[in-house]
Amino acid sequence: MFLETGSGRIAFETHGDKKEKSVLFIHGFPFNKSMWDEQAGLLSGDHFVVTFDMRGHGESDAGRGQYLVEFYADDVIAIMDHLGLEKTCVCGLSMGGYTAMRAIDREPHRFSGLILCDTKSSPDTNEAKLNRANQIKTILAGNKSLFADGQIKALFAPRSIENKIPAVERIRTIIESTSDAALIGTLIALSARMDMTETLPRISAPTLIIVGKQDRITTLTDAGEMHAAIKGSRMAVVHEAGHLSNLENSEEFNAALLKFLSANNL
Ligand code: MLT
């Protein structure tokens, strides 16, 4: 299904019938809504589940390739409005977490729960900005597969790469099929994102923070800082997982997700 917005079509999927309880999942960079397939299947029996492709990813239009996290938050709210979802629990991984933090700060009354996976509230350091500049140069030079190699090394725990879990090849295919304009536009948007740290104490929705123990992009320390700043939040560390904790160790990830949803009647 597609939602027509002023800046192009956003592809989204719903799973299960419309029910009181719902979860809206937001994927990380540079993936697409399929990264949540397992969780959508798991929850769709007693939840209405929504997944969507961020601008330029999956089946959503790339538009002019100019994005901001602010626009991604606009898209979340637009999808909720379109589906008549007054309130939902939102779960975002990494870039999806940046977006969820922005959306809940803008419209706190629209979110019944918050799940922040492998993400952080702090903005890019200068080193991270330079790293993104180098990634953009690599893509502009026509070396997208080199960019994909670097991403895979950074995203997955070494054990996941060694064990060649299917997710590794799936992620490579997704990266290589994403347009250069969308990759570059997203890297610039991520580099320009706001520091959300000061907003964390304002969050009153039940919150779960999930982090892969070997996440090198958004670390255990980043997760611990958000946990300390969000009143009453819970934190779950997923073992044998890097940045893509829901794909690398779905068993532990799903257990933490289910426990949180049921404990908070979400
Ligand atoms: C992601 O998974 O969304 C990215 O790693 C986020 C980032 O590069 O900051």
Side-chain angles (χ1 to χ4, degrees), residues 22-264:
S22 63
V23 182
L24 182 147
F25 287 98
I26 318 177
H27 67 78
F29 170 74
F31 322 120
N32 63 38
K33 55 181 165 3
S34 73
M35 78 170 294
W36 295 115
D37 282 354
E38 187 174 334
Q39 285 72 36
L42 178 76
L43 298 182
S44 61
D46 47 11
H47 290 80
F48 180 60
V49 177
V50 183
T51 59
F52 74 101
D53 290 329
M54 310 279 270
R55 296 176 186 213
H57 294 82
E59 298 168 288
S60 288
D61 289 341
R64 293 161 69 180
Q66 293 162 345
Y67 318 119
L68 287 172
V69 169
E70 201 62 16
F71 304 163
Y72 304 147
D74 292 342
D75 294 339
V76 167
I77 307 289
I79 290 168
M80 289 173 67
D81 289 345
H82 176 74
L83 292 171
L85 267 183
E86 230 162 84
K87 215 168 175 162
T88 189
C89 175
V90 64
C91 173
L93 185 137
S94 198
M95 165 174 78
Y98 309 154
T99 304
M101 279 183 262
R102 189 63 201 118
I104 201 169
D105 194 49
R106 273 169 52 173
E107 308 225 13
H109 58 287
R110 304 289 303 267
F111 299 96
S112 50
L114 174 66
I115 306 170
L116 296 172
C117 319
D118 301 285
T119 192
K120 59 178 163 193
S121 59
S122 54
D124 272 11
T125 57
N126 283 351
E127 190 189 347
K129 284 179 200 282
L130 288 176
N131 185 40
R132 295 205 201 270
N134 285 328
Q135 289 177 316
I136 291 172
K137 282 187 205 168
T138 303
I139 298 165
L140 286 174
N143 293 323
K144 196 150 64 181
S145 57
L146 205 61
F147 166 73
D149 287 344
Q151 282 290 109
I152 283 170
K153 276 198 204 105
L155 290 167
F156 288 97
R159 214 179 95 121
S160 304
I161 299 178
E162 273 162 35
N163 292 351
K164 294 207 184 330
I165 61 166
V168 175
E169 276 323 300
R170 198 166 126 217
I171 291 300
R172 178 185 296 283
T173 308
I174 294 177
I175 296 176
E176 291 191 352
S177 61
T178 305
S179 73
D180 291 4
L183 292 173
I184 292 169
T186 313
L187 285 164
I188 295 171
L190 296 179
S191 190
R193 74 183 188 277
M194 287 167 65
D195 184 351
M196 296 306 291
T197 308
E198 69 170 40
T199 72
L200 300 180
R202 292 203 280 272
I203 296 173
S204 60
T207 300
L208 171 65
I209 292 151
I210 304 182
V211 60
K213 189 159 187 218
Q214 289 152 284
D215 188 340
R216 281 168 293 165
I217 298 180
T218 51
T219 62
L220 224 51
T221 307
D222 296 318
E225 283 169 7
M226 293 192 298
H227 176 41
I230 304 176
K231 238 178 294 131
S233 60
R234 295 264 172 258
M235 177 162 148
V237 177
V238 178
H239 299 88
E240 308 293 354
H243 191 58
L244 298 184
S245 56
N246 74 313
L247 298 173
E248 292 177 74
N249 186 346
S250 56
E251 206 176 311
E252 271 192 33
F253 182 98
N254 292 345
L257 176 67
L258 289 175
K259 186 172 167 197
F260 170 76
L261 292 174
S262 120
N264 292 285

